[in-house]
Amino acid sequence: MDLTFTNDDANFREDARTWLRQNLPTERRPHSGQALRDFDTDWQRRQFEGGWAGVSWPKEYGGLGLPLVRQLIWYEEYARSGAPDNHLCFVALNHGGPTLIARGNDDQKRYHLPKILSGEVIWCQGFSEPNAGSDLASLKTRARIDGDHLVVNGSKIWTSHGHLSDWQELLVRTDPDAPKHKGISWVICDMKTPGITLRPIEIMTSPNQVHFVQCFYDDVRIPLANVVGELNDGWNVAMSTLGFERGTAQIKDQIRYAFLVEHMIQEARKRLGSDCPLSRDEIGARLAQLRADMAAARAMTYMVVSRAEAGLQGSESSLMRAMVGEVQQRARRLALDVLGPDMLENPEDNDWVYYYLRSFSITIAAGTAQIQRNIIGERVLGLPR
């Protein structure tokens, strides 16, 4: 690993820190509904107008065109400042946008990328299906060609914020006779297209909050011009998307959790007494282990960034994804142990409880922990399938 910070990097860090300190939203981030969309898009727009959106995106698409190490610095300062997580923009910024940059045509890039970076639109993901989650290549949502359109029928499930989204990155089977990893296409779907029905899925954070929906497609017509890459080559395009999701897109979360652990340590001192010898009780031991784990995760993050800067792309990001996901769950559980049972009395108004309940999905989303271990075993360790 060779990752060093220059004087210019230090100046960039100071500029980022200053801008964040002066521009952080003062209101609490909502958890659902139109208020959530308004908050996240407004915050993304503020970053864009301030010149801080798309740090590593090419300049021709509205980004800063800076090296990945500057993106890392921005994420570090973002986490340090306690800036809110504009998660509604995640798919567009970390899936759709990078996939279009890597695999889209000029018309697709020109139309979609500026809207993504400025927070004008929200994207969701239409990959997983009933009986086709971890085994994504078994998807059965079909699209037949009718003139210059695809006609889509089927369903997708666990679509985060589909009801608040403008566009969807959608995988469909365009050649039902091809082997399961073939005959798939990656298409851009307008969520307002006739024939799309959304069914809310309740989750345990609150019965009043809609996060996931199931999408049903009934003769939904999508222009062939919305196919990204080649027709029937969507599996390769999807691997690019998932590579972004499990790689650089996870850096921000890893860094945020490192600062969360430090905040938990301060909270523990406050609740247990400032002179409490944390290292000699169970809470202190667990906090120390979490701090060590997050230090290891940060070293792994630096390794991934260093290798990416050197043009070495591998499956090491799955190592970080698998480790950090489980550490995040332990951190959220410990946070509630530190705060005590009184924090459970009003979970809808308490971010600690909300994110603890949400943490159960961390080792499922973006590839289950078991899938990540398979990738590590096969592609990193060279073990047989």
Side-chain angles (χ1 to χ4, degrees), residues 9-19 21 73 77:
D9 291 334
N11 292 334
F12 177 85
R13 184 185 297 277
E14 185 58 35
D15 290 343
R17 187 176 299 180
T18 300
W19 187 89
R21 185 170 57 247
I73 292 171
E77 294 309 314

PDB file of all heavy atoms in Angstrom, residues 9-19 21 73 77:
ATOM      1  N   ASP A   9      -3.280  18.130  -0.619  1.00  0.00           N
ATOM      2  CA  ASP A   9      -4.331  17.336   0.015  1.00  0.00           C
ATOM      3  C   ASP A   9      -4.729  17.956   1.354  1.00  0.00           C
ATOM      4  O   ASP A   9      -5.918  18.016   1.695  1.00  0.00           O
ATOM      5  CB  ASP A   9      -3.858  15.894   0.251  1.00  0.00           C
ATOM      6  CG  ASP A   9      -3.678  15.114  -1.043  1.00  0.00           C
ATOM      7  OD1 ASP A   9      -4.349  15.451  -2.034  1.00  0.00           O
ATOM      8  OD2 ASP A   9      -2.859  14.174  -1.045  1.00  0.00           O
ATOM      9  N   ALA A  10      -3.743  18.415   2.112  1.00  0.00           N
ATOM     10  CA  ALA A  10      -4.024  19.038   3.409  1.00  0.00           C
ATOM     11  C   ALA A  10      -4.844  20.318   3.224  1.00  0.00           C
ATOM     12  O   ALA A  10      -5.773  20.587   4.002  1.00  0.00           O
ATOM     13  CB  ALA A  10      -2.720  19.341   4.144  1.00  0.00           C
ATOM     14  N   ASN A  11      -4.531  21.095   2.189  1.00  0.00           N
ATOM     15  CA  ASN A  11      -5.307  22.315   1.915  1.00  0.00           C
ATOM     16  C   ASN A  11      -6.730  21.966   1.501  1.00  0.00           C
ATOM     17  O   ASN A  11      -7.693  22.640   1.904  1.00  0.00           O
ATOM     18  CB  ASN A  11      -4.630  23.128   0.814  1.00  0.00           C
ATOM     19  CG  ASN A  11      -3.305  23.707   1.256  1.00  0.00           C
ATOM     20  OD1 ASN A  11      -3.088  23.940   2.450  1.00  0.00           O
ATOM     21  ND2 ASN A  11      -2.411  23.945   0.308  1.00  0.00           N
ATOM     22  N   PHE A  12      -6.859  20.917   0.689  1.00  0.00           N
ATOM     23  CA  PHE A  12      -8.189  20.457   0.284  1.00  0.00           C
ATOM     24  C   PHE A  12      -8.990  20.031   1.511  1.00  0.00           C
ATOM     25  O   PHE A  12     -10.179  20.346   1.638  1.00  0.00           O
ATOM     26  CB  PHE A  12      -8.041  19.287  -0.689  1.00  0.00           C
ATOM     27  CG  PHE A  12      -9.345  18.684  -1.128  1.00  0.00           C
ATOM     28  CD1 PHE A  12     -10.045  19.220  -2.198  1.00  0.00           C
ATOM     29  CD2 PHE A  12      -9.872  17.574  -0.477  1.00  0.00           C
ATOM     30  CE1 PHE A  12     -11.259  18.652  -2.611  1.00  0.00           C
ATOM     31  CE2 PHE A  12     -11.073  17.011  -0.876  1.00  0.00           C
ATOM     32  CZ  PHE A  12     -11.771  17.554  -1.950  1.00  0.00           C
ATOM     33  N   ARG A  13      -8.346  19.327   2.429  1.00  0.00           N
ATOM     34  CA  ARG A  13      -9.015  18.888   3.657  1.00  0.00           C
ATOM     35  C   ARG A  13      -9.502  20.081   4.477  1.00  0.00           C
ATOM     36  O   ARG A  13     -10.627  20.087   4.986  1.00  0.00           O
ATOM     37  CB  ARG A  13      -8.068  18.013   4.483  1.00  0.00           C
ATOM     38  CG  ARG A  13      -8.710  17.433   5.746  1.00  0.00           C
ATOM     39  CD  ARG A  13      -7.700  16.675   6.601  1.00  0.00           C
ATOM     40  NE  ARG A  13      -7.141  15.523   5.921  1.00  0.00           N
ATOM     41  CZ  ARG A  13      -7.740  14.321   5.866  1.00  0.00           C
ATOM     42  NH1 ARG A  13      -8.931  14.149   6.443  1.00  0.00           N
ATOM     43  NH2 ARG A  13      -7.163  13.308   5.243  1.00  0.00           N
ATOM     44  N   GLU A  14      -8.685  21.077   4.603  1.00  0.00           N
ATOM     45  CA  GLU A  14      -9.056  22.252   5.398  1.00  0.00           C
ATOM     46  C   GLU A  14     -10.213  22.999   4.727  1.00  0.00           C
ATOM     47  O   GLU A  14     -11.129  23.470   5.416  1.00  0.00           O
ATOM     48  CB  GLU A  14      -7.851  23.179   5.557  1.00  0.00           C
ATOM     49  CG  GLU A  14      -8.106  24.363   6.479  1.00  0.00           C
ATOM     50  CD  GLU A  14      -8.526  23.948   7.887  1.00  0.00           C
ATOM     51  OE1 GLU A  14      -8.029  22.910   8.372  1.00  0.00           O
ATOM     52  OE2 GLU A  14      -9.382  24.653   8.481  1.00  0.00           O
ATOM     53  N   ASP A  15     -10.181  23.106   3.406  1.00  0.00           N
ATOM     54  CA  ASP A  15     -11.283  23.757   2.694  1.00  0.00           C
ATOM     55  C   ASP A  15     -12.588  22.989   2.890  1.00  0.00           C
ATOM     56  O   ASP A  15     -13.655  23.596   3.091  1.00  0.00           O
ATOM     57  CB  ASP A  15     -10.962  23.857   1.199  1.00  0.00           C
ATOM     58  CG  ASP A  15      -9.857  24.861   0.899  1.00  0.00           C
ATOM     59  OD1 ASP A  15      -9.562  25.694   1.782  1.00  0.00           O
ATOM     60  OD2 ASP A  15      -9.293  24.789  -0.208  1.00  0.00           O
ATOM     61  N   ALA A  16     -12.509  21.655   2.794  1.00  0.00           N
ATOM     62  CA  ALA A  16     -13.708  20.827   2.987  1.00  0.00           C
ATOM     63  C   ALA A  16     -14.247  20.987   4.393  1.00  0.00           C
ATOM     64  O   ALA A  16     -15.461  21.121   4.605  1.00  0.00           O
ATOM     65  CB  ALA A  16     -13.369  19.358   2.700  1.00  0.00           C
ATOM     66  N   ARG A  17     -13.341  20.981   5.370  1.00  0.00           N
ATOM     67  CA  ARG A  17     -13.763  21.107   6.771  1.00  0.00           C
ATOM     68  C   ARG A  17     -14.453  22.445   7.014  1.00  0.00           C
ATOM     69  O   ARG A  17     -15.490  22.519   7.684  1.00  0.00           O
ATOM     70  CB  ARG A  17     -12.539  20.947   7.679  1.00  0.00           C
ATOM     71  CG  ARG A  17     -12.864  20.883   9.163  1.00  0.00           C
ATOM     72  CD  ARG A  17     -11.599  20.618   9.971  1.00  0.00           C
ATOM     73  NE  ARG A  17     -10.991  19.346   9.615  1.00  0.00           N
ATOM     74  CZ  ARG A  17      -9.874  18.865  10.167  1.00  0.00           C
ATOM     75  NH1 ARG A  17      -9.241  19.581  11.089  1.00  0.00           N
ATOM     76  NH2 ARG A  17      -9.394  17.701   9.800  1.00  0.00           N
ATOM     77  N   THR A  18     -13.895  23.497   6.440  1.00  0.00           N
ATOM     78  CA  THR A  18     -14.476  24.823   6.621  1.00  0.00           C
ATOM     79  C   THR A  18     -15.854  24.917   5.976  1.00  0.00           C
ATOM     80  O   THR A  18     -16.807  25.437   6.576  1.00  0.00           O
ATOM     81  CB  THR A  18     -13.546  25.893   6.021  1.00  0.00           C
ATOM     82  OG1 THR A  18     -12.282  25.843   6.686  1.00  0.00           O
ATOM     83  CG2 THR A  18     -14.143  27.278   6.165  1.00  0.00           C
ATOM     84  N   TRP A  19     -15.969  24.422   4.736  1.00  0.00           N
ATOM     85  CA  TRP A  19     -17.264  24.495   4.043  1.00  0.00           C
ATOM     86  C   TRP A  19     -18.331  23.709   4.789  1.00  0.00           C
ATOM     87  O   TRP A  19     -19.465  24.185   4.944  1.00  0.00           O
ATOM     88  CB  TRP A  19     -17.122  23.978   2.616  1.00  0.00           C
ATOM     89  CG  TRP A  19     -18.378  24.202   1.815  1.00  0.00           C
ATOM     90  CD1 TRP A  19     -18.695  25.308   1.090  1.00  0.00           C
ATOM     91  CD2 TRP A  19     -19.496  23.317   1.717  1.00  0.00           C
ATOM     92  NE1 TRP A  19     -19.945  25.165   0.525  1.00  0.00           N
ATOM     93  CE2 TRP A  19     -20.456  23.950   0.893  1.00  0.00           C
ATOM     94  CE3 TRP A  19     -19.784  22.053   2.226  1.00  0.00           C
ATOM     95  CZ2 TRP A  19     -21.679  23.358   0.572  1.00  0.00           C
ATOM     96  CZ3 TRP A  19     -20.997  21.459   1.919  1.00  0.00           C
ATOM     97  CH2 TRP A  19     -21.932  22.109   1.096  1.00  0.00           C
ATOM     98  N   ARG A  21     -18.458  22.969   7.961  1.00  0.00           N
ATOM     99  CA  ARG A  21     -18.793  23.651   9.215  1.00  0.00           C
ATOM    100  C   ARG A  21     -19.761  24.802   8.974  1.00  0.00           C
ATOM    101  O   ARG A  21     -20.665  25.054   9.782  1.00  0.00           O
ATOM    102  CB  ARG A  21     -17.510  24.148   9.879  1.00  0.00           C
ATOM    103  CG  ARG A  21     -17.732  24.764  11.257  1.00  0.00           C
ATOM    104  CD  ARG A  21     -16.430  25.024  11.976  1.00  0.00           C
ATOM    105  NE  ARG A  21     -15.542  25.888  11.204  1.00  0.00           N
ATOM    106  CZ  ARG A  21     -14.377  25.490  10.680  1.00  0.00           C
ATOM    107  NH1 ARG A  21     -13.980  24.247  10.817  1.00  0.00           N
ATOM    108  NH2 ARG A  21     -13.621  26.341   9.997  1.00  0.00           N
ATOM    109  N   ILE A  73     -10.671  11.909   1.399  1.00  0.00           N
ATOM    110  CA  ILE A  73     -10.545  13.032   2.324  1.00  0.00           C
ATOM    111  C   ILE A  73     -11.902  13.686   2.551  1.00  0.00           C
ATOM    112  O   ILE A  73     -12.271  14.008   3.691  1.00  0.00           O
ATOM    113  CB  ILE A  73      -9.526  14.064   1.789  1.00  0.00           C
ATOM    114  CG1 ILE A  73      -8.113  13.478   1.816  1.00  0.00           C
ATOM    115  CG2 ILE A  73      -9.590  15.359   2.601  1.00  0.00           C
ATOM    116  CD1 ILE A  73      -7.084  14.337   1.108  1.00  0.00           C
ATOM    117  N   GLU A  77     -13.827  14.080   6.202  1.00  0.00           N
ATOM    118  CA  GLU A  77     -14.276  15.344   6.784  1.00  0.00           C
ATOM    119  C   GLU A  77     -15.799  15.385   6.899  1.00  0.00           C
ATOM    120  O   GLU A  77     -16.342  15.978   7.845  1.00  0.00           O
ATOM    121  CB  GLU A  77     -13.762  16.514   5.957  1.00  0.00           C
ATOM    122  CG  GLU A  77     -12.255  16.659   5.995  1.00  0.00           C
ATOM    123  CD  GLU A  77     -11.716  16.675   7.421  1.00  0.00           C
ATOM    124  OE1 GLU A  77     -12.294  17.393   8.276  1.00  0.00           O
ATOM    125  OE2 GLU A  77     -10.739  15.949   7.699  1.00  0.00           O
TER     126      GLU A  77
END
